[in-house]
Amino acid sequence: MPKIYLIDVTNRDGVQTAKLGLSKLEKTLINIYLNEMGVFQSEFGFPTTKHETLYLQANLELAEMGVLKPIRLEGWIRAIASDVETAFRLVPNIKHLNLTMSTSRQMIKKKFNSKKKKENIIAEMIKAVEKARALGAETIGVNAEDASRTDPDFLIRFGLAVKEHGADRLRYCDTLGYDDPFTIYEATKALAENIAIPIELHCHGDLAMAVANSVAGAKGVIDGGQDAYINTTINGVGERAGNADLVAVILAITKSKGLAGKYQFANAIDLSQAWKITKFASYAFDVPIPINQPGVGANVFAHASGIHADGVLKDPQNYELYNFTELGRGEPELVETGREICAGQYSGISGFRHVMGQMAITFADASEAREVLELVRYANVEAHKPLVEDELLFIAKYRKIARKLLTLKPLE
Ligand SMILES: [Zn+2]
């Protein structure tokens, strides 16, 4: 039976979100956490965007060092042959790409102003796919933007054409969150059956159905005989009303009535990383986690009413579908309530040594301590807030990589 894979797009769709952003160090930590969780692939950024270049190269180095392994790092670009060339010029080691092109009637008429016809769309995508392959791409995903408003016959024709020219997957983008679980199931099943290519589900929450649509779409793809790749973001951040929430998607597939035990992930997912990764993303994006967010919200395991409290004390399964320990919750958290020494952009060596010492980090000599301090200062300049422990540990451990991540070169 075909399987489900997760492609997290926090570092692409998430950071594209209006009013939100991440530092390159935060993006890197997210890749590390996704890898620890068992997420198959991270759409880790934009290979044609110059301020991403050093970050992307540094993360590919981490992959070569075995730090970001086995996760796949994939870049997102427009399906234009010259953009493919730019991507490989700026990030020569990139191995995985997703190429994007609008396919819907709306976009053809109102975005391309009818200058681009359906045949041009197919031809341009094929050119981009062939260029990517020629320049060394190992896997190529083809994104049909606004697929849910695309003529279904054209979408099949588009999918067959790109498959014939070497694409590995087709991304069905419900760009506007227009689908419902019933329509997306039918649409993706038909694509899987007619094109016979693995299908990605990229769903948005404009009608509050991003997670439901993702799993219904995945079911459609698998019932159609192909592997399904679900696009997620941590805490559901993403354009407008957001994308499918990573943890909620995992819970839906592993705990829901009709999916649990029947539809499975291709590789092991470590749900116990959920607490850590969602807290970090919340801190990094500076967006609080709603108290009722599935799995990780403050109220998800809270009971007050008499009947529920009594019931859950007798047996948690009376009123809880899953256990908090499965999500990595339940450990007490230490919060400093007295004196605090933080590392910041103007930190000095004594305070810094104290902060690092609390994490049991020692330095070989004074010059090493000063080097790490300098990097931590730069990281603070970019983050505008105190770094978390894992960020400090990362900088101390991978100084060369950190130096690259923290270097933003002006336009050339
Ligand atoms: Zn999107």
Side-chain angles (χ1 to χ4, degrees):
M1 187 158 159
K3 298 278 193 256
I4 299 170
Y5 296 79
L6 293 176
I7 297 181
D8 190 87
V9 299
T10 306
N11 279 335
R12 199 275 298 170
D13 217 318
V15 297
Q16 270 182 308
T17 311
K19 303 168 199 170
L20 299 187
L22 294 175
S23 74
K24 305 307 181 198
L25 179 60
E26 288 163 343
K27 291 186 81 167
T28 304
L29 263 267
I30 281 180
N31 291 328
I32 289 174
Y33 291 154
L34 290 170
N35 183 51
E36 285 172 359
M37 200 170 189
V39 169
F40 177 73
Q41 181 166 310
S42 170
E43 190 155 275
F44 75 142
F46 306 85
T48 56
T49 302
K50 286 180 179 159
H51 65 72
E52 292 262 289
T53 303
L54 289 174
Y55 150 78
L56 296 169
Q57 288 176 356
N59 275 257
L60 290 170
E61 271 178 54
L62 287 171
E64 278 163 31
M65 289 157 65
V67 179
L68 283 174
K69 208 176 167 189
I71 197 166
R72 270 190 195 172
L73 302 174
E74 160 259 319
W76 182 99
I77 58 173
R78 297 180 300 177
I80 301 172
S82 58
D83 275 23
V84 178
E85 282 171 359
T86 305
F88 278 95
R89 182 166 50 78
L90 295 175
V91 193
N93 289 342
I94 193 108
K95 294 277 181 282
H96 309 285
L97 285 174
N98 267 60
L99 312 172
T100 198
M101 172 80 83
S102 309
T103 53
S104 68
R105 281 171 297 227
Q106 167 75 23
M107 298 290 190
I108 291 170
K109 262 200 180 149
K110 302 286 181 173
K111 197 167 104 170
F112 301 142
N113 296 323
S114 298
K115 281 184 205 135
K116 229 177 247 192
K117 304 268 180 290
K118 284 178 176 173
E119 295 321 309
N120 306 119
I121 286 172
I122 292 180
E124 278 182 38
M125 182 56 91
I126 287 172
K127 254 200 208 161
V129 168
E130 287 180 337
K131 179 63 78 183
R133 194 64 83 190
L135 291 175
E138 285 172 14
T139 69
I140 302 165
V142 163
N143 302 354
E145 191 198 33
D146 208 10
S148 49
R149 294 193 298 177
T150 299
D151 166 19
D153 292 334
F154 174 59
L155 203 51
I156 290 172
R157 203 144 57 80
F158 177 80
L160 284 170
V162 296
K163 180 188 167 191
E164 199 187 310
H165 287 81
D168 297 285
R169 292 187 307 277
L170 177 67
R171 178 177 294 184
Y172 177 95
C173 302
D174 182 20
T175 306
L176 270 71
Y178 174 52
D179 261 311
D180 61 55
F182 313 101
T183 56
I184 200 169
Y185 176 85
E186 295 300 333
T188 56
K189 186 163 179 274
L191 290 178
E193 285 171 349
N194 286 292
I195 308 172
I197 190 171
I199 307 280
E200 288 186 34
L201 297 311
H202 182 89
C203 299
H204 277 272
D206 299 75
L207 299 175
M209 293 190 282
V211 174
N213 286 344
S214 298
V215 297
K219 186 178 191 301
V221 173
I222 290 171
D223 292 352
Q226 293 295 319
D227 285 332
Y229 291 71
I230 298 179
N231 289 187
T232 61
T233 60
I234 306 161
N235 299 333
V237 290
E239 300 262 22
R240 306 180 314 281
N243 291 64
D245 170 41
L246 169 67
V247 172
V249 164
I250 298 170
L251 287 171
I253 288 164
T254 55
K255 308 289 180 187
S256 70
K257 196 171 177 179
L259 299 173
K262 283 189 227 156
Y263 292 83
Q264 278 162 348
F265 288 113
N267 55 299
I269 301 290
D270 184 359
L271 185 58
S272 74
Q273 302 290 324
W275 186 245
K276 184 169 81 172
I277 197 169
T278 54
K279 294 282 264 191
F280 178 74
S282 164
Y283 180 73
F285 278 115
D286 202 12
V287 176
I289 294 175
I291 59 170
N292 57 350
Q293 183 166 314
V296 296
N299 263 8
V300 176
F301 298 97
H303 308 274
S305 77
I307 293 171
H308 280 239
D310 175 59
V312 89
L313 288 169
K314 283 179 175 144
D315 181 354
Q317 287 187 23
N318 284 334
Y319 288 106
E320 289 174 359
L321 196 56
Y322 42 82
N323 196 292
F324 57 84
T325 54
E326 294 178 75
L327 293 128
R329 298 181 67 156
E331 292 294 320
E333 282 177 351
L334 287 174
V335 179
E336 188 57 69
T337 59
R339 179 177 302 117
E340 235 183 315
I341 309 288
C342 308
Q345 43 190 297
Y346 304 105
S347 285
I349 197 73
S350 150
F352 179 65
R353 272 186 185 273
H354 173 81
V355 170
M356 300 305 267
Q358 283 187 321
M359 296 184 295
I361 294 189
T362 49
F363 299 104
D365 51 40
S367 90
E368 188 184 293
R370 267 195 299 275
E371 186 195 350
V372 176
L373 166 63
E374 203 55 47
L375 292 166
V376 167
R377 283 175 167 176
Y378 272 79
N380 272 285
V381 170
E382 212 195 337
H384 298 293
K385 54 181 173 292
L387 305 184
V388 303
E389 226 178 86
D390 280 351
E391 288 175 296
L392 294 170
L393 291 169
F394 179 90
I395 292 172
K397 194 168 176 190
Y398 304 110
R399 300 200 294 276
K400 250 179 76 187
I401 297 284
R403 182 176 290 274
K404 216 166 186 181
L405 287 174
L406 298 170
T407 308
L408 286 182
K409 286 200 296 185
L411 297 176
E412 274 161 21

